[in-house]
Amino acid sequence: VVTLPAELSAAELREGLGRNANELSGLYPIVDESGKLRGAIAGRNLRALADLELAGEAAVQLADIQPTDLVLATPGETMRSIADRMARTGRTSVPVVEDERTMQFVGMITLRELLAARQTHLDEEVIRARHLRLPLGARQSTATTARNG
């Protein structure tokens, strides 16, 4: 996961991005020196922030960005609850924090990862279902045993 330091200025961001600025996509967590999540910024907004340096506002730092609608997840949540939250908010990636009180950044979960985990779960269910099928002869002998028993 690529994290951005909260202390990074627009000028430093522009310098660091260089020619890659137009290739940014996704959500980038903004993390302070102690690992606390301070916010997150979409790739398209990151490009716009980097352009502030060109407009003479190089003193702007990532820490100055105040998230108004940050959607979070915690490690103890189920895939289903995270997927539901993503569906309700239209988010395709969500920062994971240790808990919402400390905001200690743990990682990111993306829609692609949720779908991959769901596919793995479905594949396991198919395999499990194959092992539960009884051969036709076994069902007859069980029914005979139940009648005679």
Side-chain angles (χ1 to χ4, degrees):
V1 175
V2 175
T3 61
L4 301 171
E7 308 77 34
L8 194 67
S9 71
E12 293 167 324
L13 178 63
R14 179 55 139 176
E15 184 179 313
L17 292 177
R19 294 182 185 164
N20 298 324
N22 292 326
E23 299 172 12
L24 294 173
S25 64
L27 190 67
Y28 296 87
I30 301 168
V31 181
D32 68 17
E33 63 279 348
S34 67
K36 180 179 174 182
L37 182 69
R38 297 284 300 269
I41 187 167
R44 65 184 176 280
N45 295 336
L46 199 54
R47 287 189 300 270
L49 182 65
D51 289 339
L52 287 177
E53 185 261 338
L54 296 177
E57 298 191 36
V60 174
Q61 291 187 323
L62 293 180
D64 297 331
I65 299 170
Q66 295 298 317
T68 56
D69 57 351
L70 194 58
V71 177
L72 302 172
T74 57
E77 287 187 83
T78 64
M79 288 186 316
R80 177 170 292 183
S81 69
I82 296 169
D84 288 350
R85 189 171 314 117
M86 290 171 101
R88 278 194 311 275
T89 62
R91 303 299 167 95
T92 57
S93 58
V94 176
V96 180
V97 293
E98 191 173 297
D99 63 59
E100 291 187 30
R101 185 181 48 78
T102 65
M103 295 295 284
Q104 190 67 32
F105 181 71
V106 176
M108 295 288 289
I109 183 114
T110 64
L111 183 57
R112 178 175 289 182
E113 291 165 335
L114 282 175
L115 292 175
R118 180 65 179 145
Q119 183 62 52
T120 299
H121 182 73
L122 290 173
D123 291 346
E124 290 170 355
E125 285 183 10
V126 168
I127 291 168
R128 214 175 6 256
R130 283 189 206 146
H131 293 293
L132 294 177
R133 290 190 185 136
L134 297 174
L136 186 56
R139 276 192 256 163
Q140 288 176 338
S141 65
T142 304
T144 305
T145 303
R147 274 192 306 238
N148 295 336

